[in-house]
Amino acid sequence: MGLRKVVVKEGGTLAVFAVVIFAVFFIWIAIEMLGFAPRWFALLFLVIPILFILAVLAKGTAIFKGNRKASALFEGSEVSENGVTFPQELEFEVGKVSLEGYWINSGRSRNYRVRRNFQSGERKHGTFVGFRDEPFKVLVLRGGTGRVEAPAVRILSEPYKDTLLIFFTDEGTVEGEGSLTLSKGSDFATVTFRGEGKLIKGTVQAELSKARKVRIEVGSGKVWRRIAEGANLDFAFSTLPGEKTVVFANYKTANPLSLVRNLWKDTAVLGHGDFELKAVLDIPLARDVVEKAIFTVKMESYDKTEKGEAKEEWGFK
């Protein structure tokens, strides 16, 4: 089984173009005002859109250059199950990346913000980097709110400077088992679950009169993904990707929203560490009954270092 590679480009070029056109319109108005308005007022009216255009163009240029570098390295690199071979010798740092996305304000002023951090482990030179077969964690809503933590490589030398390689392994084992009981009035449901290889599997058995259904979700905090719903059913879900994946992106523009749109298309609950299984008794016109349990996804090969010391724990608490 090989290694899947994906390039993720940051959008926004059309938006930059539209803003520039809008600002040019204001410049045209300012020039027209020079004939009858006070010169100082017309010049002030002219300077503001010019500064705005320069700022927007600078941002658009940065996005374009970042996308071009990531695409060039993506096209020039060869991948195998063992890792990535670069088209030339490069300087890079190996570590882990954290990307946290969130929205501020609402309506027309709604704006997406990102906190980025790269924790460097060591610097290297070479034409090959091995696949970072290490734990990761992704909890991101479809709209981009959430966080990504994963092993990564950041390129330090041109012509690919600031290109980011993010690694998502498919290795892991699910541990945990138990049962959840939901009841209200004449409605009753039992959910049993267990870890089986890379899957969390379970069964729902219910007797419903007023309740509409039982929902099964996985996630943590404010990020949840629905994996099954009904009255009597079996379910299975994996927090691990179907294959090892390396993502090429630009560090300065990489964000959870772009990753969700390009890789997963929906709310992403992926990786290793502790997750919650949530069972919900869906009752119309009344408060739902909710019960939760924890299951864990582990990488046995990464639990300890060669000296037997515990490695730093990844993911969210």
Side-chain angles (χ1 to χ4, degrees), residues 148-273:
V148 176
E149 292 184 357
V153 166
R154 184 179 180 181
I155 305 300
L156 301 176
S157 56
E158 296 292 359
Y160 311 109
K161 186 177 180 180
D162 284 325
T163 296
L164 185 70
L165 278 64
I166 309 174
F167 298 87
F168 300 112
T169 183
D170 63 346
E171 295 296 326
T173 303
V174 180
E175 297 183 357
E177 62 179 317
S179 64
L180 301 171
T181 301
L182 308 168
S183 65
K184 186 170 185 179
S186 58
D187 294 296
F188 181 85
T190 300
V191 179
T192 58
F193 68 92
R194 68 190 183 283
E196 188 173 304
K198 297 182 180 182
L199 298 172
I200 180 75
K201 289 186 174 183
T203 300
V204 178
Q205 294 180 324
E207 294 182 6
L208 307 179
S209 57
K210 294 182 179 180
R212 288 178 290 199
K213 57 191 172 183
V214 177
R215 298 199 311 269
I216 304 298
E217 302 177 10
V218 293
S220 184
K222 296 181 179 180
V223 180
W224 294 91
R225 177 167 179 171
R226 187 178 304 183
I227 62 172
E229 59 183 9
N232 294 283
L233 54 88
D234 296 326
F235 63 85
F237 179 78
S238 178
T239 67
L240 299 170
E243 57 187 329
K244 292 182 178 180
T245 303
V246 57
V247 175
F248 291 71
N250 182 264
Y251 175 71
K252 294 182 178 180
T253 58
N255 62 77
L257 180 57
S258 294
L259 291 174
V260 164
R261 287 178 173 175
N262 285 272
L263 272 71
W264 307 301
K265 314 298 182 184
D266 200 352
T267 295
V269 177
L270 297 166
H272 306 82

Side-chain angles (χ1 to χ4, degrees), residues 12 24 28 34 57 64 72 81 84 103 109 117-118 131 141 162 184 231 242-243 263 266 269-270:
V24 168
W28 177 76
L34 288 174
L57 287 177
F64 175 77
E81 188 173 0
V84 181
W103 292 91
S109 60
N117 179 60
F118 188 91
F131 184 83
L141 293 172
D162 284 325
K184 186 170 185 179
E243 57 187 329
L263 272 71
D266 200 352
V269 177
L270 297 166

Side-chain angles (χ1 to χ4, degrees), residues 3-317:
L3 173 64
R4 177 192 179 202
K5 69 171 183 174
V6 180
V7 62
V8 173
K9 301 178 184 179
E10 178 64 19
T13 304
L14 291 178
V16 169
F17 179 76
V19 170
V20 170
I21 295 298
F22 187 69
V24 168
F25 173 73
F26 272 87
I27 292 175
W28 177 76
I29 293 177
I31 293 175
E32 292 293 318
M33 290 176 60
L34 288 174
F36 58 88
R39 185 173 296 274
W40 66 268
F41 182 80
L43 290 176
L44 181 63
F45 202 79
L46 182 64
V47 167
I48 292 176
I50 290 177
L51 293 177
F52 186 65
I53 287 177
L54 292 177
V56 171
L57 287 177
K59 181 178 180 180
T61 300
I63 292 174
F64 175 77
K65 287 183 177 179
N67 287 343
R68 185 176 62 183
K69 289 181 179 181
S71 295
L73 187 58
F74 172 82
E75 296 294 340
S77 298
E78 296 181 1
V79 300
S80 66
E81 188 173 0
N82 295 325
V84 181
T85 301
F86 301 134
Q88 65 187 69
E89 183 170 317
L90 297 172
E91 180 182 7
F92 54 90
E93 54 184 348
V94 178
K96 61 181 179 181
V97 67
S98 174
L99 305 171
E100 182 179 1
Y102 59 98
W103 292 91
I104 61 172
N105 303 323
S106 60
R108 293 184 178 181
S109 60
R110 192 167 184 248
N111 190 22
Y112 187 64
R113 298 290 181 85
V114 182
R115 296 190 184 100
R116 298 180 183 87
N117 179 60
F118 188 91
Q119 184 176 337
S120 178
E122 59 179 328
R123 290 195 175 194
K124 294 184 176 182
H125 287 82
T127 59
F128 177 81
V129 60
F131 184 83
R132 313 304 299 176
D133 222 346
E134 302 168 11
F136 71 93
K137 197 161 194 179
V138 178
L139 286 171
V140 183
L141 293 172
R142 185 175 184 178
T145 298
R147 192 170 178 182
V148 176
E149 292 184 357
V153 166
R154 184 179 180 181
I155 305 300
L156 301 176
S157 56
E158 296 292 359
Y160 311 109
K161 186 177 180 180
D162 284 325
T163 296
L164 185 70
L165 278 64
I166 309 174
F167 298 87
F168 300 112
T169 183
D170 63 346
E171 295 296 326
T173 303
V174 180
E175 297 183 357
E177 62 179 317
S179 64
L180 301 171
T181 301
L182 308 168
S183 65
K184 186 170 185 179
S186 58
D187 294 296
F188 181 85
T190 300
V191 179
T192 58
F193 68 92
R194 68 190 183 283
E196 188 173 304
K198 297 182 180 182
L199 298 172
I200 180 75
K201 289 186 174 183
T203 300
V204 178
Q205 294 180 324
E207 294 182 6
L208 307 179
S209 57
K210 294 182 179 180
R212 288 178 290 199
K213 57 191 172 183
V214 177
R215 298 199 311 269
I216 304 298
E217 302 177 10
V218 293
S220 184
K222 296 181 179 180
V223 180
W224 294 91
R225 177 167 179 171
R226 187 178 304 183
I227 62 172
E229 59 183 9
N232 294 283
L233 54 88
D234 296 326
F235 63 85
F237 179 78
S238 178
T239 67
L240 299 170
E243 57 187 329
K244 292 182 178 180
T245 303
V246 57
V247 175
F248 291 71
N250 182 264
Y251 175 71
K252 294 182 178 180
T253 58
N255 62 77
L257 180 57
S258 294
L259 291 174
V260 164
R261 287 178 173 175
N262 285 272
L263 272 71
W264 307 301
K265 314 298 182 184
D266 200 352
T267 295
V269 177
L270 297 166
H272 306 82
D274 291 341
F275 295 90
E276 290 182 275
L277 179 76
K278 178 165 67 174
V280 181
L281 189 60
D282 188 347
I283 303 175
L285 304 178
R287 179 175 294 181
D288 293 339
V289 178
V290 179
E291 294 291 340
K292 299 177 182 177
I294 294 176
F295 66 94
T296 304
V297 183
K298 290 186 175 182
M299 280 190 68
E300 297 296 336
S301 61
Y302 196 76
D303 280 345
K304 303 224 176 250
T305 63
E306 292 180 356
K307 295 181 180 180
E309 299 174 350
K311 277 186 175 286
E312 181 181 358
E313 190 171 342
W314 286 65
F316 309 143
K317 301 294 186 183

